[in-house]
Amino acid sequence: MSGGADRPGLVSAAGLGLVGVGGAEPADPARRGPDELRALAEEAGRELEGAPALEIARWAAETFGDRFCVTSSMADAVLAHLVSRVAPGVDVVFLDTGLHFPETLKVRDEVARTLPVNVRSIRPRLTVGQQDGQYGPRLFNKSPDDCCQLRKVEPLERALAGYDAWAAGLRRDESPTRANTPVVTFDARRGKVKVNPIAAWRQADVDAYVARWNVPVNELFKQGYGSIGCWPCTRRTRAGEDPRAGRWAMFEKTECGLHV
């Protein structure tokens, strides 16, 4: 399928004629403004659609250098592993909400220990206890949007401040809200390029990559969880349910706000 890992015959980033590809010296990333970043994203989004995930990651790494990072929820280490193959030492941003399952933190620690990446654990400005004192206990039960804003969205804004581009592990098959995810787009809200190298992958592609490279995977998937977030807002999914049906199940909410 398009976007599958390491398939020969598809266009490579080196042949796109894009800034920073094919040995060309990229422009000074520090001088790129929103208009230039938008133009880069729009061109790459067209040219890289259908390219292998590794080539999409390589384009981002070569174009943005150390102003490019990976974000990971540590449901698995597929994206971090993939990008590390073309950008050893890449920063991997993990939002440590203070409400993660122990199994999630175990994946984070294993990634930091075994992969050639630099894991950055970013915490909210308030501890869970401080948030309870300021907004009342169990904000996630009363206003999950506000809780996500405090513990995920705002920390991500701070974490991305020094980058021009970031990679996320979004896939089109995960939910209807992600069905049209582009492989490269301009995140106008943050003024940055957003790269989704595995957008076209299906679960079978992920499973094949995990098996080939022995990539760390969250143990909760074996316990019936289809998608893993903070423990108060995540339940096991039932047979036939959308993988993200177990997220904020008591609310009309399917996204935390990071990707909308």
Side-chain angles (χ1 to χ4, degrees), residues 149 152-162 189-190 192 257:
Q149 174 66 33
K152 290 186 175 182
V153 178
E154 189 280 331
L156 182 66
E157 308 295 336
R158 283 189 283 115
L160 294 181
R189 173 178 165 188
R190 299 180 175 94
K192 302 179 187 298

Side-chain angles (χ1 to χ4, degrees), residues 132-189:
D132 288 349
Q134 188 165 334
Y135 295 94
R138 303 180 70 83
L139 182 62
F140 43 78
N141 279 348
K142 298 179 293 184
S143 182
D145 286 343
D146 288 335
C147 190
C148 286
Q149 174 66 33
L150 290 166
R151 311 209 72 74
K152 290 186 175 182
V153 178
E154 189 280 331
L156 182 66
E157 308 295 336
R158 283 189 283 115
L160 294 181
Y163 305 103
D164 285 340
W166 59 298
L170 302 184
R171 301 201 326 267
R172 295 166 184 166
D173 71 332
E174 290 179 305
S175 69
T177 60
R178 298 182 175 185
N180 298 315
T181 298
V183 294
V184 182
T185 189
F186 182 68
D187 181 353
R189 173 178 165 188

Side-chain angles (χ1 to χ4, degrees), residues 215-253:
V215 172
V217 176
N218 198 306
E219 296 172 2
L220 292 175
F221 285 121
K222 297 179 181 179
Q223 300 177 29
Y225 290 87
S227 178
I228 301 164
C230 295
W231 67 262
C233 302
T234 306
R235 67 161 173 80
R236 293 175 173 84
T237 47
R238 305 181 184 94
E241 279 190 318
D242 184 287
R244 292 184 63 82
R247 304 288 293 277
W248 307 285
M250 299 300 292
F251 298 89
E252 293 183 3
K253 177 178 171 67

Side-chain angles (χ1 to χ4, degrees), residues 39-50:
L40 268 173
E42 290 175 353
E43 182 179 7
R46 293 189 300 268
E47 299 292 345
L48 287 168
E49 179 62 39

Side-chain angles (χ1 to χ4, degrees), residues 68-69 71 156 160 165-168 187 190 193-195 258-259:
F68 168 65
C69 71
T71 58
L156 182 66
L160 294 181
W166 59 298
D187 181 353
R190 299 180 175 94
V193 176
K194 185 176 182 182
V195 186
L258 300 179
H259 304 293

Side-chain angles (χ1 to χ4, degrees), residues 18-21 23-29 32 36 40 59 61-65:
L18 297 174
V19 175
V21 174
E25 185 69 19
D28 181 2
R32 285 180 178 142
E36 184 178 359
L40 268 173
W59 170 82
E62 293 181 351
T63 300
F64 300 104

